[in-house]
Amino acid sequence: MLGFLKKAFGKTEEAIKEVLPEKKKIIDKEEFEEVLLEADVQYDLIERLLEGLPDRINRTQAYNSLISVFQYRAEWIDPESHTPFVEMIIGVNGAGKTTTIAKLAYRYLQEGHSVILGAGDTFRAAAIEQLSRWAERLGVPVVATRQGHDPSAVVFDTIRSAMAKGIERVIIDTAGRLHTQSNLAEELKKMVRVADKALPGAPHRKLLILDGTQGSSTINQARAFDEMVGIDGLIVTKLDGTAKGGAILSIADELKMPIYFIGTGERPEDLVPFRADEYVHTILDEIFVS
């Protein structure tokens, strides 16, 4: 697992090496601050992380400081809790939503589950086509309609199809227009209501896709979507090509939501479960000698 994370945060490691060309047993507080800044951790969070630390910091002290960011109460939803398990994938265009749906589907298939996709982003013809191509490539069914049709009908038909065919995992795409648009808010709320009509309690999990390269704007997006429909957890994408691996610290600190996965590349298998301790150790491995 750590190997996958090292790949995802390769650029972050390069940024750290610019500050600390050689690993150390103990680092100065100022060096730790500079490392966190290079990794794109928000400055006000860095100030809090440094509070209470001595002028010379060892690995254990650094670990305890960073891991504290993730010590908040959050309700984790287990896909094994319902059959079919229905999840709705939410996020703005360009965050990697459709590709992430394919990665989730691939992961469920590898775990031995049956999967159906719902092309609920009927606002863009390209989104319907892209998801349909992924479904064909993965060998899973997809419920799709034409551009401009009612996305809630797609939600209903996808869930009912899963129930009729005994399919275990239902993944539904949603429109990704700007999160400030009120018509999108009403559309998403209707999709959630219709999911509950098709199967009481659905959707069981609403996951928000965040582009990890976008900094604080992703936090604003998350808050807006959470107000619209209530977000149950996050998937952070696109961290493999940027030095902003520290953004996860800021996202966790600001939103205090479960981070289920991170995207580590473009292939279907490039989606790994997020584990806070592994993430922190991956960063510290580039600072401290073993």
Side-chain angles (χ1 to χ4, degrees), residues 20-164:
L20 285 176
E22 301 217 348
K23 299 178 187 180
K24 301 181 178 183
K25 283 196 171 182
I26 297 177
I27 64 170
D28 294 334
K29 199 172 189 176
E30 291 77 13
E31 290 175 315
F32 194 39
E33 178 179 20
E34 213 174 324
V35 164
L36 295 176
L37 280 170
E38 283 295 321
D40 206 47
V41 181
Q42 288 183 346
Y43 189 71
D44 60 338
L45 174 56
I46 293 173
E47 291 285 282
R48 280 186 279 128
L49 291 171
L50 295 175
E51 277 177 25
L53 286 175
D55 291 335
R56 302 274 288 160
I57 302 166
N58 62 31
R59 181 173 181 136
T60 300
Q61 291 164 329
Y63 176 85
N64 289 338
S65 176
L66 296 184
I67 202 67
S68 68
V69 173
F70 301 98
Q71 292 172 345
Y72 50 83
R73 291 180 64 85
E75 184 181 348
W76 292 78
I77 300 171
D78 184 358
E80 302 292 342
S81 60
H82 297 85
T83 302
F85 182 77
V86 180
E87 52 195 338
M88 206 168 273
I89 310 301
I90 296 166
V92 299
N93 291 335
K97 193 155 46 72
T98 311
T99 306
T100 301
I101 289 170
K103 291 177 181 180
L104 267 179
Y106 177 82
R107 181 174 186 82
Y108 292 150
L109 291 170
Q110 294 301 111
E111 293 171 350
H113 298 292
S114 50
V115 180
I116 188 170
L117 306 181
D121 184 357
T122 60
F123 188 72
R124 293 188 309 131
I128 299 169
E129 292 164 11
Q130 188 183 5
L131 197 67
S132 298
R133 283 197 303 272
W134 270 116
E136 184 178 358
R137 180 176 167 185
L138 294 170
V140 300
V142 60
V143 174
T145 183
R146 293 192 301 277
Q147 181 181 9
H149 279 210
D150 183 5
S152 293
V154 174
V155 172
F156 190 89
D157 291 346
T158 307
I159 294 172
R160 283 302 175 93
S161 181
M163 294 167 69

Side-chain angles (χ1 to χ4, degrees), residues 226-258:
D226 192 36
E227 285 177 14
M228 287 180 203
V229 291
I231 298 300
D232 299 308
L234 309 170
I235 298 178
V236 184
T237 64
K238 302 189 180 183
L239 287 172
D240 50 310
T242 175
K244 296 190 175 184
I248 287 182
L249 282 163
S250 301
I251 288 168
D253 180 61
E254 290 277 355
L255 300 175
K256 294 181 170 51
M257 293 180 183

